[in-house]
Amino acid sequence: MIFRPVPIALLLIATIANAAPPELTDKDLPRFPAVETANAVNTFQIKKGFRIELAAAEPLVKDPIALSFDENGRCFVVEMGDYSERRDEHLGRIRMLEDTDGDGRFDKATVYAENLAWPTGVICYDGGIFVANTPDILYFKDTDGDNKADVHKVVFTGFGNTKERLNVQALFNS
C-alpha cells in the first residue's frame, strides 16, 4: 500500500464543513437605537484635534452613496434609490446641495440629473460632473444657469456591459 499525504487544505475544508455553526447572541450583535439627526454627531468618537459637523441631512438628500465638491463649494451627491435589484427602474439621481447663507450647512437642494440606473460615483470637473453609471461614464453640465444639467453626454462606455447582473461592491466609484 502506498501512502499519499492528504493536503492540509483538504483537511481544513473537511473540518470546516463538519464544524457546528457559530452560535450568536444579542450580546454578539448588539442593536443600537435610532438617533435623531441633530444628535447623530454626538455618537461618533473623534480623535483629539478633529471635529465633525453635520452638513446635510434628509430631506435635502436621500440614500447618499458618494459626493464631490466643486470649485464653488457646492456638493454633488449621488443618490442611489435603486439598489441592484431595481436597476431597471432608473431611480438614481444626482442632487446638488448649496449653502446659500454661508453658515457651513447646506440649506438648498436641487435635482441636478435624474433617471439614472444605479449611479455609483461623482467627480466635479470644469463646471460639470462626471458620473459613474455602469456601463457608462457620463458628463453633466448646467449651461443655462437653472442648476439642472442640460448637457448629458456618454464620455466612455463598456464597464460591466458583458454581465447580466452586476455586483455593486465591484463597480467603479469616486
Side-chain angles (χ1 to χ4, degrees), residues 48-143:
K48 188 175 181 177
F50 291 89
R51 72 174 195 239
I52 186 171
E53 298 176 9
L54 180 65
E58 289 182 339
L60 288 180
V61 65
K62 182 182 173 203
D63 301 322
I65 64 150
L67 61 86
S68 185
F69 295 93
D70 75 357
E71 65 275 14
N72 298 311
R74 301 177 301 181
C75 181
F76 291 83
V77 180
V78 175
E79 295 181 328
M80 186 196 286
D82 56 348
Y83 199 70
S84 61
E85 291 78 17
R86 299 176 65 194
R87 179 183 173 92
D88 294 335
E89 294 180 38
H90 294 254
L91 301 175
R93 62 184 176 188
I94 308 298
R95 191 164 318 228
M96 183 182 71
L97 304 179
E98 297 175 274
D99 175 9
T100 62
D101 60 10
D103 69 353
R105 187 168 177 165
F106 295 105
D107 51 55
K108 180 181 177 188
T110 306
V111 175
Y112 189 78
E114 58 188 332
N115 195 31
L116 302 173
W118 216 14
T120 55
V122 61
I123 298 290
C124 296
Y125 175 76
D126 192 31
I129 58 172
F130 287 106
V131 175
N133 192 74
T134 309
D136 304 321
I137 294 178
L138 307 171
Y139 184 72
F140 295 100
K141 189 172 186 175
D142 170 25
T143 61

Side-chain angles (χ1 to χ4, degrees), residues 30 33 44:
F44 287 84

Side-chain angles (χ1 to χ4, degrees), residues 1 8 14 25 50 57 68 131 137 141 162 165 172:
M1 180 170 174
I8 292 176
T25 67
F50 291 89
S68 185
V131 175
I137 294 178
K141 189 172 186 175
T162 61
R165 184 176 173 105
F172 63 105

